[in-house]
Amino acid sequence: MSSTAKEEFLVGMEYLSVITSRIFLYPFLGRSKTKLLCYHFICFLIIFASFQQFVFLCVSKLNSFLDIVNIAPNIGVCAMSVTKYMKVNSNKELYNLIFVHFRTDMWDIVSEKCQENVKILKRYQKIIHFITIWFVYYVVPLILIVTSFPILIMYYDNMILGKELEHRYPFEAWYPFDKVKWYYVAYAWESFITGLVVCIYTFSDLINVSYIAYICLELKLLGTHLKELIGAEDIKQLKRSQNATAIHYKIRQKLREIIIKHNFIANISSQLDIIFGDIMFVNYTFGSVFICLTAFTFTVTDELYSTLRCFFFLISLVISMLNQCIIGQCSAQLAQALYDSKWTYGDRQTRQLVLMLIMRMQKPFQLTAKGYIAMNLDTFTTICSTSYQFFNLLRTMYDPEAN
């Protein structure tokens, strides 16, 4: 294997660790007291912001259904971001085990002479690099737009269009003081919280998406390793009954290594499925509702600020939902690789091991919403279809004069 390919892959993992360290989750084990304090402080800030929005929703006299729609999804996003954040921290032993495995323990199945392994490694390195860059460059403009548009549009309406000054905020929240009098203090606080929630939500997703990509990578590498289980030279010698005992022993050892790796991946995939289960169940249950309500608000509001706000919120919801479904799409099949492995030339013990591997491959690698439904691109299509049906229903029932 090309040392450059391995080094580039490890650089990508190092970059992931740097991003994770910026939100005080890395190192997963042995963090300093300062990082732990910062982690708990971030959790407190997001929970407090959720409390502010919930109190505002309860005590404010909302004039229409649209006012509720503008507030409720924000509370949901805050709750989801802190939940994802705390999930990673509460399962830090597993996340550390997976990170160490892919950084140090995976490389014994990568053949230095196999060009296919190098191609797979480079391809997945590019995929993971693209995912990382996408998340980073998606976060920056999103934060700038969400935090700057309210005040820019407020001054545009007032100074350019000559409208009465109407104070706008990144989100609606309750304060124990007059937030109009202390407008810039409230605006600075909400801008900071908005940026924090977007970073925590997005980078928590980045960790999970990257881990699933690593799992898919190792499954692909195991497939190539399995195809080379019995080489052409081994088959020639077995047909001539030359060194048969040593060859069969070598084959069994390679197959045992593959089974051990496969079991490890199955185990961590199962644990990740449990960790993601709650989040995916909530996404599947309420995703259609949130997307529908946001799209509905986007089409019926007549204010530029509300239109832009709902548009970017809608795009963020769809992208987040797509991420959850993409990470459940990886269900690499080793059956074809096993079929191509010429396992029929193996002895009786080898065939027993092959049978064991076949039995373990009956359960596909997939992520589910608490076991109710597999989260994949078919599920994403279902969510979008349901959202569109709800959207049409609301548009039919909506009375502009009543709202």
Side-chain angles (χ1 to χ4, degrees):
M1 182 190 62
S2 170
S3 59
T4 303
K6 179 179 178 180
E7 289 172 0
E8 290 178 354
F9 183 84
L10 294 178
V11 167
M13 292 198 69
E14 186 64 27
Y15 186 61
L16 177 64
S17 69
V18 170
I19 293 178
T20 310
S21 179
R22 293 292 184 268
I23 57 174
F24 308 108
L25 287 176
Y26 187 87
F28 299 107
L29 299 179
R31 271 172 287 172
S32 65
K33 292 183 179 180
T34 302
K35 283 195 172 185
L36 289 174
L37 179 62
C38 291
Y39 160 78
H40 291 293
F41 185 59
I42 288 175
C43 292
F44 168 76
L45 291 178
I46 298 177
I47 293 172
F48 181 73
S50 303
F51 170 76
Q52 282 185 286
Q53 296 174 77
F54 180 74
V55 172
F56 181 86
L57 184 64
C58 294
V59 303
S60 298
K61 295 180 180 179
L62 303 176
N63 298 321
S64 68
F65 171 72
L66 295 180
D67 293 334
I68 300 176
V69 173
N70 284 332
I71 300 172
N74 292 333
I75 301 175
V77 170
C78 288
M80 288 294 292
S81 65
V82 75
T83 300
K84 292 180 179 182
Y85 192 49
M86 295 173 69
K87 281 277 187 181
V88 176
N89 182 72
S90 60
N91 296 276
K92 53 183 176 292
E93 291 84 3
L94 175 63
Y95 278 83
N96 183 71
L97 175 66
I98 297 174
F99 191 85
V100 171
H101 170 77
F102 287 112
R103 186 169 60 181
T104 60
D105 300 337
M106 180 184 69
W107 303 102
D108 55 353
I109 65 169
V110 182
S111 174
E112 297 181 358
K113 300 178 181 179
C114 182
Q115 290 299 316
E116 187 175 359
N117 280 356
V118 177
K119 291 180 181 178
I120 291 173
L121 189 60
K122 288 184 176 180
R123 182 166 69 248
Y124 272 87
Q125 193 273 333
K126 291 180 180 178
I127 292 173
I128 296 169
H129 179 71
F130 172 78
I131 292 172
T132 304
I133 296 300
W134 160 255
F135 271 89
V136 171
Y137 284 96
Y138 164 72
V139 164
V140 174
L142 180 62
I143 293 175
L144 291 176
I145 290 170
V146 173
T147 57
S148 64
F149 266 38
I151 195 168
L152 290 177
I153 293 180
M154 181 185 73
Y155 283 121
Y156 174 79
D157 288 344
N158 179 249
M159 297 180 178
I160 305 300
L161 301 182
K163 296 182 179 179
E164 183 179 353
L165 182 64
E166 180 182 358
H167 293 88
R168 301 184 183 277
Y169 304 86
F171 58 84
E172 297 294 343
W174 170 85
Y175 293 92
F177 53 83
D178 186 356
K179 67 178 183 179
V180 175
K181 182 178 180 180
W182 296 90
Y183 172 72
Y184 292 105
V185 174
Y187 194 95
W189 160 255
E190 293 185 13
S191 297
F192 169 73
I193 288 297
T194 298
L196 181 64
V197 168
V198 170
C199 287
I200 295 300
Y201 192 103
T202 305
F203 293 150
S204 296
D205 271 349
L206 173 60
I207 300 171
N208 297 328
V209 172
S210 298
Y211 274 15
I212 298 301
Y214 294 153
I215 291 174
C216 293
L217 166 63
E218 185 160 5
L219 286 173
K220 287 286 187 180
L221 292 174
L222 281 179
T224 60
H225 205 50
L226 197 55
K227 288 180 182 179
E228 300 171 353
L229 181 64
I230 304 178
E233 186 62 30
D234 294 332
I235 295 175
K236 290 181 180 180
Q237 294 189 38
L238 288 174
K239 287 181 177 180
R240 299 170 183 171
S241 298
Q242 297 177 351
N243 302 320
T245 302
I247 292 174
H248 284 307
Y249 176 78
K250 182 184 70 173
I251 293 171
R252 288 195 301 271
Q253 288 300 108
K254 290 175 64 176
L255 192 53
R256 287 191 180 99
E257 291 178 4
I258 294 173
I259 293 175
I260 291 172
K261 296 289 186 182
H262 186 271
N263 288 345
F264 177 81
I265 297 175
N267 181 46
I268 62 174
S269 297
S270 176
Q271 294 186 62
L272 288 175
D273 184 30
I274 296 173
I275 294 172
F276 300 156
D278 297 332
I279 298 173
M280 288 188 168
F281 181 74
V282 171
N283 276 347
Y284 181 75
T285 306
F286 298 104
S288 298
V289 177
F290 284 160
I291 292 175
C292 163
L293 293 178
T294 308
F296 171 73
T297 308
F298 167 68
T299 58
V300 300
T301 185
D302 56 357
E303 290 185 328
L304 176 61
Y305 166 69
S306 299
T307 301
L308 292 174
R309 182 173 180 270
C310 291
F311 172 75
F312 287 109
F313 200 92
L314 173 63
I315 296 300
S316 299
L317 283 175
V318 172
I319 291 176
S320 175
M321 195 66 59
L322 180 60
N323 289 335
Q324 293 292 335
C325 292
I326 285 178
I327 66 177
Q329 184 67 16
C330 178
S331 181
Q333 299 294 329
L334 298 179
Q336 185 62 41
L338 182 60
Y339 178 80
D340 295 336
S341 65
K342 308 294 190 301
W343 60 272
T344 52
Y345 288 97
D347 59 6
R348 184 172 177 272
Q349 290 178 307
T350 300
R351 295 178 184 181
Q352 289 177 340
L353 290 173
V354 169
L355 180 60
M356 182 188 304
L357 184 57
I358 290 175
M359 293 176 63
R360 300 191 181 195
M361 287 193 302
Q362 297 304 308
K363 185 179 180 180
F365 292 90
Q366 62 183 9
L367 302 177
T368 63
K370 298 291 287 184
Y372 290 104
I373 187 170
M375 297 298 289
N376 49 40
L377 294 182
D378 291 334
T379 303
F380 178 73
T381 303
T382 302
I383 293 173
C384 292
S385 175
T386 306
S387 300
Y388 183 70
Q389 294 173 23
F390 286 159
F391 169 78
N392 283 335
L393 178 62
L394 284 176
R395 289 287 296 177
T396 303
M397 298 173 59
Y398 178 66
D399 182 6
E401 295 183 0
N403 291 272

